[in-house]
């Protein structure tokens, strides 16, 4: 008597519903006629019954509490890492940022003084020297150190 | 399996709805615990590993993309966690403790009444099945468990294991064959 059948491997597929309707019908017909496949089929069914007899494990009583504790721990760690990460690279930023702002502000202030008319000191000095109408002269020359040049320019004009 | 609803819940969780995650956790915790339990037949490990699975799902949050069914996805995570644990070789040379469920089954005092003998035979049988499953190679074990206990199709198992469907077919066939032979040898008769 034969102990093997070339179709017996397909019994797994039949059992698991992995054959098409046509293939299932054909395999079922073969199963009715083949003692080797019948034995194999019986063996597969017995195995499933034995496996099905294994009991489920119940959810442990403190399972949910333990899990949510882990979630809380993860959340607080994530929050801590966020701040820690920021401060880790942030000390350089903490120093550099105000310096940068101060430099930009200083440069803007300097340019605004240079470009937009004389300051209070320059106006009062110009008034004393009767030079206010010659703003360009005042604005472009150092009055105290170039007094002679200014007078020369006055005379020339 | 209500996958659409589960996917919706996971997407809602990704958008910050923590209650959606709670619903998924409650729906899947027993299935995942038992999957991990049958991988190692150790309740403590099952608890620890299944919580690791849910933590991974929690952390996935907004990164989740519904490429497959939710149950396929969560069991894929569980499979990776269990296979990873197996690779750490923690359970390669595990000895049976006298205090464990298996140990109790193997060392109880024998009462010769027929009813008790049936119970003992049942316990002995159970112990043999557990040992046989635990001795299967990792991927065969995963494939058999996913098919026999959770009813996944070969295609879904292929996704979970990152293998082709034909490989899954072979894994299931070999896994079942090994189990049948082990149990056949133990019983001295065909299953």
């Amino acid at each position: 008597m034969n102990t093997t059948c070339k179709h017996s491997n397909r019994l797994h597929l039949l059992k698991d519903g992995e054959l098409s309707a046509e293939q299932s019908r054909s395999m079922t017909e073969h199963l009715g006629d083949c003692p080797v496949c019948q034995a194999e089929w019986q063996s597969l069914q017995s195995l499933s019954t034995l496996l099905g007899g294994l009991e489920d494990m119940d959810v442990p009583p403190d399972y949910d509490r333990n899990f949510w504790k882990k979630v809380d721990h993860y959340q607080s760690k994530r929050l801590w890492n966020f701040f820690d990460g920021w401060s880790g690279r942030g000390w350089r930023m903490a120093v550099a940022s105000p310096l940068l702002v101060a430099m930009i502000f200083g440069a803007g202030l300097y340019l605004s003084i240079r470009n937009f008319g004389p300051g209070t000191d320059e106006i009062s000095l110009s008034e004393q020297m009767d030079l206010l109408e010659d703003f360009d002269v005042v604005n472009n020359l150092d009055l105290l150190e170039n007094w002679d040049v200014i007078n020369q320019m006055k005379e020339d004009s | 399996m209500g996958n659409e609803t589960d996917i919706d819940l996971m997407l809602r969780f990704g958008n910050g709805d923590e209650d959606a995650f709670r619903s998924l956790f409650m729906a899947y915790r027993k299935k995942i615990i038992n999957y991990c339990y049958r991988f190692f037949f150790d309740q403590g490990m099952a608890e620890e590993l299944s919580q690791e699975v849910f933590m991974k799902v929690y952390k996935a949050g907004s990164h989740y993309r519904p490429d497959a069914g939710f149950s396929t996805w969560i069991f894929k995570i569980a499979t990776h966690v269990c296979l990873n644990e197996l690779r750490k070789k923690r359970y390669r040379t595990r000895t049976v403790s006298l205090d464990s469920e298996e140990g109790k089954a193997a060392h109880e005092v024998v009462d010769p009444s027929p009813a008790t003998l049936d119970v003992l035979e049942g316990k002995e049988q159970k112990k043999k099945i557990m040992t046989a499953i635990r001795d299967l190679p990792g991927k065969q074990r995963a494939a058999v468990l996913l098919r026999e206990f959770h009813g996944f199709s070969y295609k879904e198992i292929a996704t979970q294991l990152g293998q082709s469907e034909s490989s899954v077919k072979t894994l299931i066939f070999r896994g079942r064959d090994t189990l049948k032979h082990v149990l056949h040898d133990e019983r001295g008769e065909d299953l």
Side-chain angles (χ1 to χ4, degrees), chain A residues 62-122:
Chain A
D62 53 354
Y63 184 82
D64 293 4
R65 194 169 54 88
N66 288 343
F67 175 71
W68 290 109
K69 263 168 72 176
K70 284 184 185 176
V71 170
D72 287 344
H73 179 69
Y74 166 71
Q75 292 283 28
S76 58
K77 200 175 158 189
R78 199 166 67 157
L79 195 66
W80 174 253
N81 283 346
F82 173 76
F83 285 116
D84 195 39
W86 198 90
S87 64
R89 74 176 94 85
W91 71 269
R92 288 190 202 91
M93 284 174 68
V95 174
S97 302
L99 276 178
L100 186 68
V101 170
M103 282 169 68
I104 292 169
F105 182 75
L109 195 64
Y110 173 73
L111 289 173
S112 70
I113 289 168
R114 269 187 68 88
N115 292 337
F116 300 105
T120 317
D121 293 342
E122 287 167 329

Side-chain angles (χ1 to χ4, degrees), chain B residues 81-93:
Chain B
V81 166
C82 290
L83 288 175
N84 200 34
E85 185 63 25
L86 198 63
R87 266 182 227 115
K88 292 178 190 169
K89 296 180 181 179
R90 283 193 203 169
Y91 283 80
R92 278 277 165 82
T93 53

Side-chain angles (χ1 to χ4, degrees), chain A residues 9 12-13 16 18 40 43 48 50-51 54-57 63-64 66-67 70-71 74-75, chain B residues 21-22 25 29 34 38 47 50-51 54 58-59 126 147-149 154 169 173 176 180 191:
Chain A
N9 285 357
H12 292 264
L13 305 179
D16 294 334
E18 296 285 337
E40 177 67 16
S43 172
S48 283
L50 284 172
L51 292 175
L54 291 177
E55 293 141 12
D56 277 352
M57 173 185 158
Y63 184 82
D64 293 4
N66 288 343
F67 175 71
K70 284 184 185 176
V71 170
Y74 166 71
Q75 292 283 28
Chain B
F21 178 82
R22 282 177 193 274
F25 175 71
R29 60 181 188 160
N34 275 288
R38 291 188 177 116
E47 185 174 347
S50 59
Q51 291 198 351
F54 284 111
Y58 189 89
K59 288 176 187 175
K126 198 170 86 174
R147 176 61 229 162
E148 288 286 345
F149 292 97
Y154 287 12
K169 206 183 291 180
F173 178 82
R176 280 177 176 155
K180 280 191 300 175
L191 271 172

